[in-house]
Amino acid sequence: MTLPDTAATPAGADRTFQVDLRGLVDLLSHHLYSSPRVYLRELLQNAVDALTARHGLEPDAPADAFGIRLYADGAVVRVEDDGVGLTEADVHTFLATIGRSSKRAERIAEQRGDFIGQFGIGLLSCFLVADEIQVLSRSARTPDAPAVEWRGRGDGSYTVRTLPASARPRPGTTVTLTPRADTGEWTRPARVHALARHFGSLLRHPVSFDDGTGGPGASVNPEPAPWARTHPTPGARSRALAAYGEEVFGFTPLDTIELDLPAVGLKGIACVLPEAVPTGRRHGHRVHVKGMLLSEQAEEILPEWAFFVRCVVDAESLRPTASRESLYEDDTLAAVREALAERLRAWIARAAASDPDLLARFLQAHHLAVKSLAVHDDEILRMLLPWLPFETTDGHATLDEFARTHRTVLVTSSVEEFRQVAAIASAAGLGVVNGGYTYDRELVHRLPEIRPEVSVADLDPATLTAHLDPVDRETELAAMAYLALARDALAVFDCDVALRTFQPASAPALLVDSREARHERTRSQLAREQEGGLWGDILGALRQEAPRAQLILNQLNPLVRAAVAIDEPELARTSAEALYGQAAMLSRRPLRPSESSLINRSFLDLLAHALRKDS
């Protein structure tokens, strides 16, 4: 492309944008396309669109009458098609103008939905691997038109010339690239064949490959898509789809789900992963548009909660972005996403109704995904909530199993609170579910919608302590002095001390301390530290009466019975601190620095006391 003589342009006259083709190609390679390998996809795509237009001219021609032939011998890469071809006028119009596509011409505008490409920049991708592109074409629309040759170069210049009919006896187009020396990674014969298989294995037109060694050409797409084949039995079909999923994704699917949306011409399969997926991780899906691979990482085709499957789909009506490596977010894609989500829900419903073994294996691997779905989907909630596993005081159990023995289900708000109370609550006969994991607390609270005879309530310290038995009056009076010293020693932690009896007797103490109580005490402490300032006034206005933690000593435990009988004040304080530290560690919550220091100090003090006593 030659720059005009701007000095001769009259002042105020309209000017035409000039394009630095090398700069544009550099922009494409760094910002639009993910890799130079897309050049072959663009060439295949243009060839397929040309064949589509040819079939539009000759609708009665057999489906395999026209095809695509690839050739790569290390010196050149050639793509030849039997498509609609170009006249000389077409070449000047469509190959010499950046951004214009023959698929946007008025004469085929009404057919553009039949074409893969929607942008006129595909041929430029060839400059990612070559400095010169030769296009030899003969039009099927104008049979008596001569063949025409277009040569484009990376510096922006091009030539066009007509050739005798013998140069291209049949209608169609041949694109030939002479690769640069530094692009052998993408243009050597084996790589070209692999790329053709990668991008074009599901194309509906026959595609062959020749490596120039004189042997028979290899078929790039010898079989139709697996869901388009016929099988003798449903079982054979299921096994074939599973085998295809394993070939594509590298794992044996737990099950395969056929996907069929006739409204948008979408067909494919969803492969259920056999193992759990890390929380929040989403797998990409393989999306083909009219047989051409668009993306291997199309996350947007399914909703976020569907991370337990990986899909391969081929669609007619999905719209690619400019790079043709992802999908354009529009109403059609949103409708497809919702329709595919409904197919996954239907599969879960079928498994729940007719295949309990499959359902059990699925839930074992993907209960988190199902929980995330059940939070927002009442139908899945009704079907599967009773069967979802939860951590409970009876071990890991389904809510259905748990509700049979506990008509009142208590649920904690955090994992640490559950761990504080699990052993004591279990011994007291309380049914407690760990609600600290994602979705669990919200789902447990919805259990009465499925099991009306069951009630659900949040567990708070008062509920637990109410189930602990008081000690007799004489025992409590005898322990009053010790309890007073213990309260004084633990006042720094805003902790009260009480004496009760509870099972198991092996547990010397229980620390009851909710997350909300700790937050309130932290805020109160900060307000005291900031007293007198603006920030202190704000915190003071928010301050409530700080709830206290409670260390409950177990009178049934021999160690506690010995401790409350200690008559040495310092040793009594040290033993109370040691019991607090042990209970804090058993709660498995993060220890504050002051608590870690207390545990170390009380241990050393008790050790020193024991050594003095022995000596």
Side-chain angles (χ1 to χ4, degrees):
M1 299 179 184
T2 306
L3 296 177
D5 183 2
T6 55
T9 304
D14 286 343
R15 301 173 184 265
T16 302
F17 282 107
Q18 304 302 310
V19 177
D20 177 356
L21 190 58
R22 178 53 60 197
L24 180 58
V25 170
D26 184 68
L27 180 68
L28 295 179
S29 65
H30 288 92
H31 299 286
L32 185 64
Y33 294 127
S34 60
S35 163
R37 69 178 185 167
V38 299
Y39 82 93
L40 191 67
R41 183 197 65 196
E42 297 293 337
L43 290 177
L44 283 173
Q45 204 155 266
N46 288 340
V48 170
D49 286 341
L51 291 176
T52 302
R54 180 75 180 272
H55 277 287
L57 285 178
E58 304 175 38
D60 296 331
D64 58 353
F66 311 124
I68 302 170
R69 294 164 294 281
L70 305 179
Y71 178 89
D73 61 2
V76 298
V77 175
R78 187 163 61 241
V79 179
E80 180 180 355
D81 67 69
D82 300 319
V84 71
L86 299 170
T87 64
E88 183 178 359
D90 292 335
V91 166
H92 284 290
T93 302
F94 302 124
L95 298 187
T97 305
I98 301 298
R100 181 176 295 176
S101 169
S102 62
K103 297 177 286 294
R104 292 188 176 186
E106 290 184 3
R107 64 175 179 265
I108 60 171
E110 70 278 3
Q111 296 178 341
R112 63 184 297 177
D114 295 332
F115 296 92
I116 301 171
Q118 298 289 319
F119 305 89
I121 58 176
L123 196 61
L124 290 181
S125 66
C126 295
F127 286 119
L128 299 176
V129 297
D131 285 327
E132 183 173 282
I133 304 169
Q134 180 201 44
V135 178
L136 180 63
S137 189
R138 185 175 179 184
S139 175
R141 298 182 186 278
T142 312
D144 56 347
V148 58
E149 179 195 65
W150 177 90
R151 286 182 180 269
R153 288 168 285 277
D155 60 5
S157 62
Y158 71 93
T159 59
V160 179
R161 61 179 181 141
T162 58
L163 300 173
S166 59
R168 173 80 201 200
R170 297 184 300 172
T173 300
T174 302
V175 180
T176 303
L177 311 180
T178 303
R180 294 195 305 272
D182 61 345
T183 61
E185 176 185 359
W186 307 108
T187 57
R188 64 178 185 269
R191 191 57 180 268
V192 172
H193 186 209
L195 289 176
R197 288 276 300 163
H198 180 72
F199 289 119
S201 63
L202 298 186
L203 288 175
R204 292 87 183 264
H205 304 285
V207 183
S208 63
F209 173 78
D210 182 358
D211 62 3
T213 59
S219 177
V220 168
N221 53 343
E223 296 181 312
W227 45 83
R229 304 172 203 161
T230 57
H231 301 274
T233 65
R237 181 177 183 84
S238 178
R239 288 190 294 272
L241 294 178
Y244 180 74
E246 184 172 4
E247 176 186 347
V248 170
F249 295 125
F251 63 82
T252 302
L254 188 66
D255 197 13
T256 55
I257 308 165
E258 281 208 61
L259 306 174
D260 187 3
L261 302 178
V264 292
L266 182 146
K267 290 181 178 292
I269 57 172
C271 297
V272 182
L273 290 155
E275 298 177 349
V277 180
T279 304
R281 178 180 175 184
R282 297 182 66 190
H283 283 295
H285 308 286
R286 288 177 65 95
V287 175
H288 299 252
V289 175
K290 301 178 180 69
M292 182 70 70
L293 178 64
L294 182 78
S295 173
E296 297 174 275
Q297 298 296 326
E299 295 183 354
E300 61 274 15
I301 195 73
L302 287 179
E304 291 186 6
W305 55 259
F307 52 80
F308 57 87
V309 296
R310 295 193 70 181
C311 293
V312 186
V313 299
D314 185 19
E316 296 286 338
S317 302
L318 294 179
R319 180 181 172 191
T321 59
S323 67
R324 284 178 270 200
E325 296 185 334
S326 59
L327 295 170
Y328 188 84
E329 188 68 48
D330 57 11
D331 291 343
T332 299
L333 179 58
V336 166
R337 184 163 50 237
E338 181 54 38
L340 292 180
E342 183 57 37
R343 298 296 188 276
L344 299 185
R345 293 188 189 97
W347 175 83
I348 295 174
R350 286 196 302 272
S354 61
D355 197 337
D357 179 62
L358 174 61
L359 179 67
R361 287 184 286 124
F362 170 67
L363 291 180
Q364 183 178 11
H366 301 294
H367 58 271
L368 183 60
V370 177
K371 287 179 179 180
S372 69
L373 175 57
V375 167
H376 307 291
D377 191 307
D378 291 343
E379 182 180 352
I380 294 297
L381 179 79
R382 287 191 296 272
M383 284 191 302
L384 296 183
L385 180 59
W387 311 106
L388 291 172
F390 290 82
E391 186 179 7
T392 77
T393 46
D394 292 350
H396 282 83
T398 67
L399 288 185
D400 194 58
E401 295 168 337
F402 197 64
R404 292 174 192 166
T405 53
H406 301 283
R407 293 303 185 188
T408 298
V409 175
L410 302 174
V411 58
T412 65
S413 59
S414 68
V415 173
E416 60 196 37
E417 288 175 9
F418 177 81
R419 289 171 177 169
Q420 285 180 42
V421 305
I424 310 302
S426 178
L430 296 177
V432 182
V433 178
N434 185 351
Y437 295 114
T438 306
Y439 311 118
D440 282 14
R441 183 168 175 266
E442 184 176 356
L443 288 172
V444 174
H445 272 285
R446 298 192 67 179
L447 180 60
E449 299 176 27
I450 316 302
R451 298 282 185 269
E453 70 278 9
V454 177
S455 62
V456 176
D458 287 324
L459 176 70
D460 58 35
T463 304
L464 181 63
T465 55
H467 284 77
L468 304 181
D469 295 327
V471 296
D472 60 72
R473 181 70 174 168
E474 289 184 10
T475 302
E476 187 169 15
L477 287 173
M480 288 295 291
Y482 180 86
L483 295 177
L485 287 171
R487 291 184 185 111
D488 183 63
L490 301 179
V492 67
F493 300 113
D494 291 312
C495 183
D496 194 10
V497 182
L499 186 64
R500 298 286 189 273
T501 63
F502 55 85
Q503 295 294 337
S506 58
L510 168 67
L511 181 60
V512 180
D513 191 15
S514 68
R515 178 186 296 178
E516 291 75 12
R518 292 197 302 276
H519 287 177
E520 181 59 37
R521 291 198 301 274
T522 301
R523 185 165 58 230
S524 298
Q525 180 181 357
L526 184 57
R528 290 193 295 270
E529 293 172 354
Q530 299 288 337
E531 190 172 359
L534 176 60
W535 183 237
D537 292 340
I538 294 173
L539 291 174
L542 295 174
R543 185 171 57 203
Q544 307 169 4
E545 182 179 351
R548 306 191 74 190
Q550 192 171 38
L551 179 68
I552 302 175
L553 304 179
N554 186 3
Q555 176 65 18
L556 298 179
N557 182 268
L559 179 62
V560 171
R561 289 199 300 270
V564 297
I566 295 173
D567 56 7
E568 299 178 38
E570 286 304 316
L571 180 58
R573 292 174 61 91
T574 300
S575 67
E577 291 172 342
L579 288 168
Y580 175 90
Q582 189 258 1
M585 288 190 295
L586 287 178
S587 72
R588 301 185 187 180
R589 63 168 171 78
L591 295 176
R592 289 174 281 179
S594 58
E595 291 173 329
S596 298
S597 176
L598 174 137
I599 292 170
N600 292 331
R601 186 179 69 251
S602 62
F603 170 76
L604 293 175
D605 287 348
L606 289 174
L607 180 61
H609 176 80
L611 292 175
R612 285 196 304 271
K613 183 177 180 181
D614 290 341
S615 63

